[in-house]
Amino acid sequence: MAAQNLQSVPAELSPEELAAAEQREADGQANFDRVMADDSRIEPKDWMPDAYRKTLLRQISQHAHSEIIGMQPEANWISRAPSLKRKAILMAKVQDEAGHGLYLYSAAETLGQPRDKMMADLIAGKARYSSIFNYPARTWADMGAIGWLVDGAAICNQVPLCRASYGPYGRAMVRVCKEESFHQRQGFEILLELSHGTPEQKQMAQDAVNRWYAPALMMFGPPDDDSPNSKQSMAWNIKRFSNDELRSRFVGMMVEQVRVLGLTLPDSEIRFNEDTKKWEHGPLDWNEFHEVLAGRGPCNAQRLERRREAHDDGAWVREAAAAYAHKQSMKTKEFAA
Amino acid sequence: MSSPETTAETAHGHGDISTGMAAPSGSGDSNASATRITPGNALRPEDIALEVRTGLVKPTEDAAEYALRLGDDALILAQRLGHWISRAPELEEDVALGNIALDQLGHARSFLTYAGGAWEKSEDDLAYFRREHEFRSAHLFEQPNGDFAVTIARQFVVSYYQFELYRRLTESTDGTLAAIAAKAVKEVDYHRDHSAQWILRLAGGTDESRKRIIHALKLVWPYVGELFEDDALVTRLAEAGAAVVPSSIREDFDRLTGEVLTEAGLEVPEVPAAPGGGRRGQHSEHLGYILAEMQVLAREHPGASW
C-alpha cells in the first residue's frame, strides 16, 4: 500500500504525467520538510524520502527482531522459575515481547515491507537484532539482570522514540514503553529479593549484574564519534539524543538503583563529571561488541537456529491456516453469488 | 498483552496502572477476563492466601484433596504449554498459547493456595516440594506437546472438560471453589474457542494438517476417560454440594466436542482407553521429567524466598 508512494516513476509516462509526478514529488518533499521543521508526524501515506523510509524500515524491523530473539534467553527460565508467582510474571513478560514484536512488525509493514519478508531475512541471517541477546541467561538471577539492566537500557533508548517523527513507530513505542517499565521493575524486584536472600542468592545476583552490565551499556550503540548514522537520524527527528548522552543518563540511573539493591556495578571508574554534568563510566570492550555483532558471540548460532526451527516446524500450520481461510472465503463468495 | 494475573500483581502498590482497589475477599468476579486488564476485581491467589492465613477460610480435608486435583491438572498443563512461548508457528500463537498457559497457571495457583490451607502449606510448597506420587493430575495434562496438532488436540479436550466442570463448580457450596471456578470459566471459554477454531482450520486446511490432527486426536483420546471417572472423594464432596461428579459432565462433553468434530468432518477416535491413575498418584512416564525441570531450582535453595 505504502509502496504506491515510493518515488519510483514508472517508465513510459506522457510529458504531462511526468510533470505531474515531478510536482507530486516536489509537494511531497515540501510537506516532509515542513513536518520535520514543525517536529510533527509523517504518516504511512505521506511522501517521504527513500533514505528516510529505508532507515526506519531497518530500525523498526531490527527492533522487532530484537523483541522476538529476546524472548529466548528468558523463555529458557519459564519452566524452572523458582516460584509460581515468578513463573507467571516471567511468562507474561515473554509473552509481552511477542506482542511488542507484533506491533513493531506491523509498524514496519506500513513502510511497505511484509512481515514474512522481514522474518525470512532474520532467519537467513541477513537482518540484525540487538546483540545483547546473544549472551546466555545462565542463572535465575539473569532474569533479574535482564529486566533491570537490559530492559532499563531499552527504556532509556525507547522513551524518546515515542516522539519519533514516523507516526506508527512513535505510537507503537508508547505501548511498548509502558510494558517495558513493568519489565524493568520486575527485574529490579527479582534482584532485590535475591540480594536480601541467602548468601548464595546474593552471589547469584551480583554475578548476573557483573555479566550484564557492560553488554547493557553497549546497547546504546557505538560512541558518538563512531556512529555514522546518528546525525541523519537526529535530523529526521527519529533519534533525539546521542548514544553517549543516553548511555550517560542510564549509568546515572543505575548508580542510584544499585545502592538500593545492595549490589555493586562492576565499574570502578563511574563518576559524575561536574564540568559536563554527565555521568562517566569505565572503558567498554568495543571489540567484543563488534565480534558479537559480526556473529561471533556466545549464542548467535543457537538463537537463530531456534527461530529457524520454530519457523520451519510451524510452516505446515501456517499453510493450513492460509488454505482454510482461502476455502472459507471461496465459500462466502459462492454463497453471495 | 498483559494477563490480569500478572498485571494485578505487578500493578499492586505501584499505582500507575492499577486503578482498582484490593479485591473484595473471597469474591470471584465472573466478569473478570483473562484477556483484559482487570485491575483489582479479579480473584487472585494472593487474596486466597490472605483469607487462608487469617483463618477466614479453611478447606475441609476432602475439599483440599479435590482442589489439589484441579490445581495439579492446571499446573502441569501450564508447564507444558509454557514451552511453546518463543517456539510457536506464528507470533500470534506465541501470544495465544502463552495466554492460555498463564490462565492455567493462575487457576493452579488459586486451587493450590486453597488446598494448602488444609495443611499449612503454600502454593510453592505444594508445587515444588511434593514428589511425583503426591501429584494428583490426570494423565492427559502431562502428555507431551508433540507437534502443534497434538497440543491443540490436548487443549481441545481440556478446555471442553474444564469448561463444563467449572461452569458447574460455580454452584459449589464451598465458596472458595465456587469463586475460583467463576473466574476460571470465563477464561476457559476463550480456550475452548481457540482450540475449536484450530480443530476446524487444521481439519479443513491442507491434506497434511488434516492427517496430523486426525493422528493427534488419536494420541490424546486414550486419556479422555480418566477425566470422567468418579471415586469416593468426589462422590462424598458432591453429596455435600461442594464438587462436581466427573461422570455427570461426560454427556455434555461428548455432545459439544462432537459438534465441533462433526463440523470439522472428523470422527471421535476409536481408540482403547488408558487406565489412568493420576488421581491416586500413579502417573505416566512423563511427569517425572516435568517435575525434575520445574522443581530443580527451588530445591537447590530450600527455604529461600524469590
Side-chain angles (χ1 to χ4, degrees):
Chain A
M1 202 166 57
Q4 291 163 0
N5 300 308
L6 279 172
Q7 292 78 351
S8 56
V9 179
E12 295 171 41
L13 285 183
S14 69
E16 294 78 22
E17 284 170 328
L18 194 62
E22 280 171 357
Q23 186 57 46
R24 276 200 303 277
E25 190 103 345
D27 292 348
Q29 180 74 55
N31 179 61
F32 183 83
D33 293 343
R34 195 163 48 243
V35 165
M36 291 303 132
D38 295 349
D39 199 2
S40 62
R41 277 193 157 153
I42 287 292
E43 295 297 336
K45 289 188 171 177
D46 293 339
W47 184 96
M48 63 188 91
D50 254 347
Y52 176 82
R53 185 186 300 275
K54 276 187 192 142
T55 295
L56 276 167
L57 193 54
R58 194 187 61 233
Q59 180 169 340
I60 301 173
S61 60
Q62 282 181 8
H63 191 163
H65 298 330
S66 302
E67 296 281 358
I68 300 311
I69 297 291
M71 292 168 73
Q72 292 183 27
E74 293 175 293
N76 185 39
W77 281 94
I78 288 175
S79 64
R80 292 174 293 167
S83 78
L84 296 185
K85 181 177 172 177
R86 291 284 170 215
K87 189 192 288 287
I89 293 171
L90 186 61
M91 267 190 193
K93 177 180 194 281
V94 183
Q95 189 202 28
D96 278 352
E97 282 152 13
H100 297 175
L102 279 173
Y103 314 144
L104 288 161
Y105 283 127
S106 299
E109 283 191 311
T110 65
L111 293 160
Q113 179 94 277
R115 184 166 120 196
D116 289 351
K117 168 81 169 71
M118 292 183 263
M119 197 55 90
D121 285 349
L122 173 64
I123 287 166
K126 288 188 209 160
R128 279 184 174 166
Y129 54 87
S130 182
S131 72
I132 189 110
F133 300 117
N134 290 317
Y135 291 89
R138 290 204 189 101
T139 72
W140 171 253
D142 290 32
M143 298 304 95
I146 289 175
W148 181 52
L149 289 168
V150 177
D151 293 332
I155 292 168
C156 274
N157 248 331
Q158 291 169 10
V159 166
L161 288 173
C162 296
R163 293 188 287 127
S165 58
Y166 188 58
Y169 191 31
R171 288 188 289 271
M173 292 318 300
V174 171
R175 180 152 182 192
V176 169
C177 283
K178 274 187 192 165
E179 295 183 347
E180 288 294 348
S181 70
F182 277 112
H183 296 178
Q184 194 198 15
R185 201 167 313 170
Q186 67 87 35
F188 184 84
E189 279 177 8
I190 288 175
L191 291 176
L192 190 67
E193 195 76 38
L194 292 175
S195 69
H196 290 77
T198 65
E200 289 87 358
Q201 284 179 304
K202 184 167 184 178
Q203 176 54 40
M204 195 195 285
Q206 184 62 59
D207 169 65
V209 169
N210 291 350
R211 282 183 289 112
W212 290 95
Y213 169 76
L217 256 57
M218 290 194 271
M219 283 174 70
F220 294 95
D224 292 348
D225 50 21
D226 187 27
S227 179
N229 300 324
S230 284
K231 206 175 156 209
Q232 180 61 74
S233 275
M234 288 174 85
W236 278 331
N237 299 339
I238 300 171
K239 199 173 167 65
R240 301 285 175 169
F241 303 99
S242 80
N243 295 351
D244 287 336
E245 165 72 30
L246 290 169
R247 189 165 16 243
S248 160
R249 273 192 212 179
F250 177 66
V251 168
M253 284 162 55
M254 296 300 108
V255 160
E256 292 297 317
Q257 294 177 13
V258 80
R259 286 198 201 109
V260 182
L261 287 175
L263 300 172
T264 56
L265 294 174
D267 185 345
S268 57
E269 295 177 46
I270 294 179
R271 67 179 196 111
F272 187 71
N273 184 326
E274 286 294 346
D275 299 332
T276 60
K277 301 287 176 206
K278 285 189 196 313
W279 283 92
E280 292 175 354
H281 55 83
L284 294 166
D285 185 355
W286 290 105
N287 187 41
E288 177 184 305
F289 177 81
H290 290 295
E291 283 292 294
V292 178
L293 205 60
R296 292 184 285 272
C299 301
N300 298 57
Q302 177 192 331
R303 299 285 187 243
L304 262 196
E305 180 56 19
R306 164 88 161 271
R307 180 90 300 269
R308 194 177 295 131
E309 200 174 80
H311 190 78
D312 291 351
D313 288 353
W316 70 271
V317 179
R318 296 190 299 276
E319 284 159 18
Y324 182 75
H326 179 69
K327 287 178 197 171
Q328 291 301 109
S329 73
M330 296 303 279
K331 269 188 203 164
T332 315
K333 272 183 202 155
E334 274 170 36
F335 186 72
Chain B
M1 220 52 46
S2 304
S3 128
E5 299 295 334
T6 313
T7 305
E9 280 153 19
T10 39
H12 183 71
H14 295 307
D16 45 358
I17 282 193
S18 167
T19 55
M21 299 174 300
S25 313
S27 65
D29 181 349
S30 60
N31 291 318
S33 147
T35 49
R36 280 190 291 266
I37 293 177
T38 50
N41 64 351
L43 179 69
R44 304 173 313 149
E46 284 79 1
D47 303 323
I48 299 172
L50 186 68
E51 291 183 342
V52 166
R53 215 166 39 239
T54 55
L56 213 60
V57 299
K58 185 175 167 74
T60 63
E61 185 74 18
D62 276 358
E65 283 291 342
Y66 183 64
L68 205 54
R69 293 180 179 188
L70 306 187
D72 284 348
D73 286 352
L75 175 61
I76 299 305
L77 183 62
Q79 189 72 6
R80 281 295 194 209
L81 288 172
H83 186 77
W84 277 106
I85 304 174
S86 76
R87 295 180 175 88
E90 280 277 31
L91 290 177
E92 285 83 350
E93 283 305 307
D94 280 297
V95 175
L97 292 172
N99 228 347
I100 296 171
L102 211 39
D103 288 343
Q104 293 287 334
L105 184 55
H107 309 161
R109 294 185 59 203
S110 292
F111 282 125
L112 294 183
T113 299
Y114 184 51
W119 312 301
E120 293 186 1
K121 289 190 184 303
S122 70
E123 52 174 325
D124 288 336
D125 293 336
L126 292 173
Y128 292 96
F129 294 94
R130 269 183 305 157
R131 296 173 64 197
E132 184 179 325
H133 67 273
E134 297 171 291
F135 275 77
R136 292 290 175 264
S137 45
H139 286 206
L140 177 67
F141 301 90
E142 58 200 51
Q143 294 309 305
N145 285 340
D147 63 8
F148 185 71
V150 175
T151 289
I152 289 299
R154 185 183 62 199
Q155 200 59 43
F156 176 64
V157 174
V158 168
S159 53
Y160 277 77
Y161 159 73
Q162 285 181 332
F163 184 82
E164 293 307 313
L165 172 65
Y166 293 152
R167 189 165 70 81
R168 289 163 173 81
L169 196 58
T170 58
E171 309 286 320
S172 173
T173 51
D174 181 313
T176 306
L177 290 177
I180 299 170
K183 177 172 189 287
V185 72
K186 293 281 176 185
E187 300 176 348
V188 170
D189 197 13
Y190 285 107
H191 307 175
R192 254 187 357 162
D193 188 38
H194 175 263
S195 64
Q197 285 193 43
W198 272 113
I199 293 278
L200 294 175
R201 274 190 211 113
L202 296 182
T206 61
D207 289 346
E208 180 174 10
S209 67
R210 185 169 179 81
K211 204 172 73 192
R212 285 187 191 240
I213 192 64
I214 289 171
H215 181 64
L217 288 164
K218 271 188 194 151
L219 283 181
V220 304
W221 223 263
Y223 308 102
V224 171
E226 184 188 8
L227 302 175
F228 303 100
E229 278 170 17
D230 301 339
D231 65 3
L233 174 75
V234 289
T235 308
R236 269 200 313 276
L237 278 168
E239 277 165 10
V244 179
V245 178
S247 61
S248 71
I249 57 180
R250 179 80 203 233
E251 198 183 319
D252 279 349
F253 171 87
D254 284 344
R255 181 173 51 79
L256 292 165
T257 51
E259 283 172 10
V260 178
L261 294 177
T262 302
E263 190 184 342
L266 299 172
E267 286 171 10
V268 176
E270 285 189 31
V271 288
R279 304 298 185 210
R280 299 185 301 278
Q282 293 162 10
H283 293 281
S284 70
E285 291 176 343
H286 307 298
L287 188 64
Y289 293 94
I290 297 174
L291 297 184
E293 190 172 344
M294 183 174 81
Q295 296 177 335
V296 61
L297 179 58
R299 287 184 174 218
E300 267 178 43
H301 302 266
S305 84
W306 303 92

